[in-house]
């Protein structure tokens, strides 16, 4: 019989968190595979917060919902600005 005076515990491994950039890459690829216009769909999602703008293909909808919309805008702007000043 177990000793009920000791606290039992177990460790749950956390899945590694994806970077916002990686989430966007997965979402973009899933949109293209399904034939959607990724720009229109992501803008619709960011503006409305309605996850149905994002396909569930390849778990894209679940992934993008784990990221705050302002973080998506920030990442997109960072990428755009970096490319503009790269030239």
């Amino acid at each position: 019989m177990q000793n009920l005076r000791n606290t039992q515990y177990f460790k749950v491994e956390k899945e590694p968190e994806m970077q916002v950039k990686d989430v966007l890459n997965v979402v973009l690829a899933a949109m293209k595979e399904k034939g959607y216009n990724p720009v229109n769909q992501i803008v619709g999602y960011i503006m409305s917060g309605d996850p149905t703008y994002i396909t569930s293909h390849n778990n894209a909808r679940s992934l993008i919902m784990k990221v705050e919309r302002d973080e998506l805008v920030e990442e997109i702007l960072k990428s755009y600005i970096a490319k503009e000043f790269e030239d």
Side-chain angles (χ1 to χ4, degrees), residues 26-27 29-34 36 54-63:
V26 169
V27 170
M31 296 280 199
K32 288 177 183 177
E33 284 178 24
K34 295 304 279 184
Y36 296 120
I54 308 301
T55 181
S56 59
H57 180 64
N58 288 345
N59 208 27
R61 187 178 298 157
S62 295
L63 286 174

Side-chain angles (χ1 to χ4, degrees), residues 17-52:
E17 289 187 31
M18 289 182 74
Q19 299 293 319
V20 176
K21 187 175 189 175
D22 299 328
V23 169
L24 281 168
N25 286 331
V26 169
V27 170
L28 286 171
M31 296 280 199
K32 288 177 183 177
E33 284 178 24
K34 295 304 279 184
Y36 296 120
N37 180 327
V39 173
N40 290 345
Q41 298 305 112
I42 292 173
V43 167
Y45 172 68
I46 289 171
M47 297 298 291
S48 70
D50 183 356
T52 60

Side-chain angles (χ1 to χ4, degrees):
M1 180 162 206
Q2 294 181 350
N3 184 348
L4 298 177
R5 295 182 187 269
N6 295 331
T7 301
Q8 300 294 318
Y9 70 95
F10 62 94
K11 184 176 181 178
V12 176
E13 295 293 325
K14 289 176 69 175
E15 62 184 58
E17 289 187 31
M18 289 182 74
Q19 299 293 319
V20 176
K21 187 175 189 175
D22 299 328
V23 169
L24 281 168
N25 286 331
V26 169
V27 170
L28 286 171
M31 296 280 199
K32 288 177 183 177
E33 284 178 24
K34 295 304 279 184
Y36 296 120
N37 180 327
V39 173
N40 290 345
Q41 298 305 112
I42 292 173
V43 167
Y45 172 68
I46 289 171
M47 297 298 291
S48 70
D50 183 356
T52 60
Y53 278 99
I54 308 301
T55 181
S56 59
H57 180 64
N58 288 345
N59 208 27
R61 187 178 298 157
S62 295
L63 286 174
I64 205 164
M65 288 172 44
K66 292 179 182 179
V67 178
E68 295 293 330
R69 290 182 290 157
D70 63 322
E71 291 178 293
L72 294 171
V73 172
E74 182 179 335
E75 187 62 38
I76 292 166
L77 277 172
K78 278 186 200 175
S79 177
Y80 174 78
I81 291 169
K83 286 180 182 172
E84 281 300 308
F85 289 105
E86 192 174 88
D87 298 331

